[in-house]
Amino acid sequence: MLYSNATIPADRVRLLPIAEALEPRLEKLCRQIVSRVRRAVPFYATTSLVADEALAASCDGILRSLLDGMGGAMIDTSPAATSGRRQAEAGVPLPAVMSAFRIGFHQMWKAVADLAGPRPDISREDLLRAATWLWHAQDLCTDAMAAAHDQQMRQQLIDGHAERLRLTEALFQSRLSDHRSLWEVAEALGLPRCGPYVVVAAKCATSGSPALPGAAAMLRSLDVFSAWLVLPDVHAGIAAVPNETRYASLLGLLARIAAARVGVSPPFDDLGDTAEALRYARVAVNDRVQTQLVTVFDDSPLAALAVSAPRVTRKLARTMLGHFDHQTGNERDVLLETLRVWIDCDGSINDAADRLFCHPNTVRYRLRRVEQHTGRSLSAPRDLTELCLAFQAYWHEW
């Protein structure tokens, strides 16, 4: 750091002796700053995210830029910006870095004052001039650090959001191609490592638009952790429901905010089953029988089979329901609705009649019509099983 007096700005000519005297003391000054930061800033005192060597290297770069500035050069704020960016990468919050910077500049000023005391060639005016310059340099360096820290944090948020979307999509499509284990994926998505989980699928009003905007934040306020992805037809999310209270909170929130059909899968414990659970949630969305906006998939064995073997169940349903083709739409719907209610009432004619607001004989007549059209007997166990399976496919898929 050698300058001719002709190249040094007039206001800093008197600072050159201070800069030259401080240069041999930089290493010791850096150690003092690191020690002081470790003691005085709680974040640095309780964590080892940033090693002492890294803090000392950051101090050295900033202090050398200050000495160059005192020697006549333009203040180089790039070391301060580099420090801000690296601290953000390490996860150090901005207030902690700001406190560390204040300590560093205070220690720098103390070193200047201690140096000037026994030096007759450094006058009081020179000391005031050095103080004024240091505070100006502190403002410039702190601003550069804060801007770099903010930019890095924003970038990390963008990158983290993109990574969450990628992992969520991989779960829904059952194609985790990297070497992460499922518990690592859960941690990256902010989900507990163990279930139970459910998948939610909300019908999108327009392709690619979220049907439940803000759902993740609203669920988080209820201590329900979730990850979401907008697919072409549905806004899908996977949520952790470790107990009945959280599950009820999830369903209650969905019922309050849903503006279109929402389907919920049965609970499951393994994240590897997310793609299958999404199929169940999609089936619930398309359930034509349910009138409420939020539908939980019926996790009975017949309903699960209807989804697990769609080709078989669709063919069976098409074969049986083909006999209704000559019926008017209204008559077909009445017969199918009667069958559904009768099944829901565990085969009770009287209970079905109460729910349908008709006479029990009317229910019996309609059920006989179903037997006539399908060629199956509702009193024969095998025939009844085939009918139930066929109508599960009809109710959930068609």
Side-chain angles (χ1 to χ4, degrees), residues 208-227:
S209 63
L212 299 171
M218 288 185 279
L219 286 172
R220 182 66 186 87
S221 69
L222 301 174
D223 288 332
V224 176
F225 297 88
S226 61

Side-chain angles (χ1 to χ4, degrees), residues 186-243:
E187 185 173 3
L189 294 177
L191 298 172
R193 297 180 181 181
C194 300
Y197 315 96
V198 295
V199 168
V200 177
K203 181 80 74 175
C204 294
T206 57
S207 179
S209 63
L212 299 171
M218 288 185 279
L219 286 172
R220 182 66 186 87
S221 69
L222 301 174
D223 288 332
V224 176
F225 297 88
S226 61
W228 294 80
L229 182 70
V230 178
L231 299 171
D233 58 331
V234 293
H235 186 191
I238 175 173
V241 286
N243 51 52

